Amino acid sequence: MEFEPIVSHIKDELGEVIISTDETSNPMSIEISAKDVLACFNFLHTNDQLYFDMLSCISGVDNGVEAGSMEVVYNLYSIPYDHHLMIKVKLDREKAEIPSVTGIWKTADWLERETYDMYGIQFTDHPDLRRILLTADWEGFPLRKDYEHQDKYRGITVAYDIPSDDDQTEDKDRR
Amino acid sequence: MANDIQYRYEPDNLLKSEPTKYNLEDLKSDELLINLGPQHPSTHGVLRLEILTDNEIIKDVIPHIGYLHRCFEKHAESLPYNQIIPFVDRMDYLAAMNSEHAYALGVEKMLGITEQIPKRVEYIRVLVAELNRLASHFVAIGTYAMDIGAFTPFFWMMRDREHIQRLLEWVSGARMLYNYIWIGGLFYDLPVGFEDRCADFLNYLKPKLKELETLVTDNKIFVDRTADVGVLPLDLAINYGITGPMLRGSGLKFDLRRVDGYSVYPELDFDIPIGEGKMGTKGDCWDRTYVRVMEIHESVKIMQQCLEKLTKEHKRTREFDPQVIVPKKIRPKAQDLYIRAENPKGELGFFFRADGKSDIPFRCKARSCCFVNLSVIAELARGGMIADLVATLGSIDIVLGEVDR
């Protein structure tokens, strides 16, 4: 199914859940709000004509402090119908919370844990929301645009000074 | 300075930084918590598994990952598009060409130059990517056989992989991490005489593949060890987002090279092998290995067609410059894009957000196939023995570099 029939199909069944559509993105995307996530995704997953049975990817995006928002981007794909859909959900940066879709796609379990790990976005009703790639006692969420790493982790310095290009040329002269 | 890098040891450091999900105090009688890894040969790298067993039967497996996390996505947010390619190599270091290919396709799509890429460049890309796919499957099959007790296949596979690595070293100058496929082109054309040597290699390989089948997939001990073990039903596989040979092993003819038809794959003739449950149940460990072995045959077929095209239709000429449309400045319009491609291990996806104002991606997310494929391990292992867990884990074919990124 093409993008427009998908959009109109969602509109027919669920009413005005779509905040905006973006046809410049690839695959084309719709934006919905966090409170409609479960109803909308349940519909997309179970509807006979849409049947998005595969959740390819969940990506978090931090729009920065000035914009004050974060986004969660879902990439859905339907194996039998071969159609794609990108869904964006905008969240408040201070209180980023979104319902978990683990109950619909099991893939979401680890992908949401990773998004939480990197952005600190809370996925409510997630069965096991722990950090996944970083250690449990790591401070801060690294992919936020205003992230500043801690100085020490268990006595190990986190960042070392990288010699700049000028230092290296001096070294060469000395040699 | 020496004081700076001292690791301050405290007895509960491990529990604080990577707590186990199950508490020892809460275990019932007969239950046992076993730690496997992170430094264990059968985990293929630095993967740590927390295993809850009831006597000898596994009740739950909790993977602890992240020991090889190198902040790919954070690095990508501070580097221009073309300088990210070496980092992409280091994600799945056994199939770097395939990852580069996927990444380059994505950025080219954002720039809108997909159509302008010369045919010769695309055929070379497919050729080297399929070579690398062979190398990756060789490691997968070789190490898998070693996991479950057969030593010989590993040496045989490594011997044949060595030829591929030397071929690719001749092409790019590196054995594993190539930085050969550039955005809009290639680092360099194929070296003179490469096509002949590659054809020679394929001729050398064909009888070896026959030997491989006798040695591994038809081997009675191997079949006994892998048939009916770690069965992954198709509906569960799709729900878990499993892709690649694992999904095909469960019986679905789904290959992105065909489904999406990216690059020059639509012009090439190849089959998509699937698991049929020949030795046991559909979707067991044997099926997954069988699919990999059959895919090697298909890749050989693809490479022969590429060589045919590269020596006849899209011949090397003196004027041909593979960098002719490599953009000097890579600045895509503001847009979001998700690109996916078939890696040896599954669907490698990249999500890009370009802001249109800089040469650096605003966000670059890698959807790694090994990461997603690994998440199903608990479902596969539950109810089996610990020895079968090792067999199951090997059949998933993970590379920790890509799991942790």
Side-chain angles (χ1 to χ4, degrees), chain B residues 144-173:
Chain B
Y144 183 43
M146 199 159 73
D147 279 350
I148 58 179
F151 218 78
T152 317
F154 179 70
F155 287 124
W156 288 19
M157 298 284 84
M158 284 297 154
R159 175 197 64 198
D160 295 339
R161 178 169 173 261
E162 185 64 25
H163 293 285
I164 299 175
Q165 286 190 309
R166 290 195 180 167
L167 281 174
L168 291 177
E169 185 184 3
W170 193 20
V171 168
S172 68

Side-chain angles (χ1 to χ4, degrees), chain A residues 26 56 60 88 136 142 160, chain B residues 5 17 74 336 338 353 363 367:
Chain A
N26 191 341
S56 299
K88 298 178 194 170
Y160 281 92
Chain B
I5 51 169
S17 62
K74 190 75 182 169
D336 293 350
Y338 179 73
R353 170 165 292 182
R363 171 81 167 109
R367 183 264 194 214

Side-chain angles (χ1 to χ4, degrees), chain B residues 56-58 61 144 147-148 224-231 285 288 377 380-395:
Chain B
E56 280 201 57
I57 305 298
I58 293 177
V61 177
Y144 183 43
D147 279 350
I148 58 179
D224 285 351
R225 196 74 176 71
T226 54
D228 292 324
V229 171
V231 178
C285 293
R288 293 196 273 276
I377 181 77
L380 293 183
R382 215 166 277 152
M385 308 288 233
I386 296 177
D388 288 344
L389 169 67
V390 172
T392 311
L393 183 68
S395 76

Side-chain angles (χ1 to χ4, degrees), chain A residues 25-26 56 60 62-63 71 75 77 88 104 106-107 114 119 132-133 136 142 145 153-155 160, chain B residues 4-6 8 13 17 65-66 74 77 109 239-240 259 336-338 353 362-363 365 367 405:
Chain A
S25 72
N26 191 341
S56 299
D62 183 6
N63 288 329
E71 276 173 55
N75 282 94
Y77 176 67
K88 298 178 194 170
I104 306 170
K106 295 267 179 52
T107 342
E114 194 197 341
Y119 288 94
I132 188 162
L133 291 177
K145 293 285 178 192
Y153 180 74
R154 301 220 184 288
Y160 281 92
Chain B
D4 271 9
I5 51 169
Q6 285 290 310
R8 207 161 293 138
N13 268 3
S17 62
I65 60 173
K74 190 75 182 169
E77 282 180 16
K109 209 167 174 183
N239 203 253
Y240 263 98
V259 174
D336 293 350
L337 177 130
Y338 179 73
R353 170 165 292 182
F362 187 75
R363 171 81 167 109
K365 151 102 190 175
R367 183 264 194 214
R405 277 153 293 150

Side-chain angles (χ1 to χ4, degrees), chain A residues 22 24-27 29 45 53-64 71 73 75 77 79 82 84 86 88 102-111 113-115 118-119 127-128 130-137 142-145 147 152-157 160, chain B residues 1 3-8 10 12-14 16-21 62-67 69 73-74 77 109 236 238-243 247 252 254 259-260 334-340 347 351 353 361-363 365-367 371-372 374-375 377 379 403-405:
Chain A
D22 179 7
T24 58
S25 72
N26 191 341
S29 66
H45 180 59
D53 50 354
M54 185 123 122
L55 174 64
S56 299
C57 186
I58 299 178
S59 346
V61 180
D62 183 6
N63 288 329
E71 276 173 55
V73 183
N75 282 94
Y77 176 67
I79 293 176
D82 188 27
H84 300 259
M86 192 193 285
K88 298 178 194 170
T102 343
I104 306 170
W105 297 281
K106 295 267 179 52
T107 342
D109 188 343
W110 279 28
L111 290 169
R113 273 176 72 186
E114 194 197 341
T115 313
M118 295 297 162
Y119 288 94
D128 187 20
R130 296 174 290 145
R131 283 193 182 256
I132 188 162
L133 291 177
L134 304 180
T135 56
D137 53 355
L143 281 177
R144 288 191 179 205
K145 293 285 178 192
Y147 170 70
K152 299 256 181 186
Y153 180 74
R154 301 220 184 288
I156 309 170
T157 313
Y160 281 92
Chain B
M1 193 65 189
N3 274 342
D4 271 9
I5 51 169
Q6 285 290 310
Y7 172 73
R8 207 161 293 138
E10 275 160 37
D12 59 345
N13 268 3
L14 177 65
K16 262 194 215 153
S17 62
E18 197 66 36
T20 50
K21 194 181 167 192
I62 292 107
H64 292 273
I65 60 173
Y67 290 89
H69 181 53
E73 288 166 21
K74 190 75 182 169
E77 282 180 16
K109 209 167 174 183
L236 190 72
I238 293 173
N239 203 253
Y240 263 98
I242 306 294
T243 43
L247 181 61
L252 184 69
F254 183 76
V259 174
D260 284 3
Q335 61 183 306
D336 293 350
L337 177 130
Y338 179 73
I339 184 82
R340 53 180 197 168
E347 168 185 332
F351 172 79
R353 170 165 292 182
F362 187 75
R363 171 81 167 109
K365 151 102 190 175
R367 183 264 194 214
F371 179 80
V372 176
L374 181 62
S375 67
I377 181 77
E379 300 275 349
V403 174
D404 295 345
R405 277 153 293 150

Side-chain angles (χ1 to χ4, degrees), chain B residues 36-52:
Chain B
L36 179 76
Q39 276 87 16
H40 188 280
S42 78
T43 56
H44 292 238
V46 277
L47 167 69
R48 178 175 153 223
L49 297 174
E50 175 192 342
I51 309 165
L52 181 73

Side-chain angles (χ1 to χ4, degrees), chain B residues 133 136-137 140 232 237 242-252 254-255 257 272-275 283-295 342-347 369 373 395-397:
Chain B
R133 188 185 306 272
S136 170
H137 280 346
L232 177 64
I242 306 294
T243 43
M246 269 189 95
L247 181 61
R248 290 192 284 278
S250 297
L252 184 69
F254 183 76
D255 189 321
R257 291 176 289 176
I272 302 164
I274 56 168
D284 57 9
C285 293
W286 189 86
D287 268 350
R288 293 196 273 276
T289 315
Y290 170 75
V291 166
R292 287 197 185 99
V293 172
M294 296 317 284
E295 267 181 28
E342 185 77 26
N343 254 32
K345 295 167 185 73
E347 168 185 332
C369 32
N373 287 359
S395 76
I396 297 178
D397 183 21

